[in-house]
Amino acid sequence: MWSIIHTMTTQQTDPQYKLRMPAELRDSLKEASKANNRSMNAEIVARLQQSFEVEHREAMYDDVPPKLMLKLLEGFRYQLMEQIKDGTAEPGFPHLDPDYVEIKTGSGDDDSGSKS
């Protein structure tokens, strides 16, 4: 029995961190972890990772030139309207046909939002 416990504990390599939190937050985490079928630790890690992914996605959108953003939005609008017409629309973002919106990233492109 000792060898099983010893093997399990020696495989853990992630650093530990002692954390204090309000009891209400702990209760919410406990409920969420049960709903998501994972440990409270896994729930905390997943939520922390997700928060950094959201920050990264938001930062990416901040770097998109307005003219390019308008092209993308028009592409999504067009594809959604087509999917509504043919009855294939689903919740969420429509599939964006890459042939409809041409995205150029070369230095000769003017996607700064200024009018040509």
Side-chain angles (χ1 to χ4, degrees):
M1 173 124 174
W2 182 83
S3 63
I4 294 172
I5 295 171
H6 178 65
T7 304
M8 289 173 41
T9 58
T10 57
Q11 290 176 350
Q12 180 63 39
T13 59
D14 295 334
Q16 293 184 2
Y17 183 82
K18 187 173 182 175
L19 177 67
R20 294 173 199 230
M21 69 179 78
E24 298 83 20
L25 179 58
R26 183 188 179 283
D27 294 343
S28 296
L29 280 167
K30 188 174 184 178
E31 289 177 24
S33 68
K34 284 181 183 178
N36 293 319
N37 295 316
R38 53 185 166 204
S39 68
M40 284 183 59
N41 185 79
E43 185 70 28
I44 292 168
V45 169
R47 286 172 178 263
L48 283 172
Q49 286 175 333
Q50 183 182 23
S51 72
F52 286 110
E53 291 168 6
V54 167
E55 284 179 7
H56 179 69
R57 281 194 305 268
E58 289 172 354
M60 287 179 8
Y61 293 134
D62 290 343
D63 294 338
V64 177
K67 189 174 179 182
L68 178 57
M69 184 61 78
L70 289 173
K71 284 182 184 179
L72 291 170
L73 290 172
E74 175 60 20
F76 279 119
R77 186 194 69 76
Y78 174 80
Q79 290 297 315
L80 180 59
M81 294 303 294
E82 291 298 310
Q83 290 172 14
I84 289 171
K85 286 178 191 175
D86 65 21
T88 61
E90 296 179 3
F93 282 107
H95 169 73
L96 183 59
D97 182 355
D99 294 331
Y100 181 77
V101 178
E102 185 177 340
I103 301 172
K104 298 179 183 177
T105 57
S107 59
D109 297 333
D110 180 19
D111 285 333
S112 62
S114 60
K115 296 189 181 208
S116 306

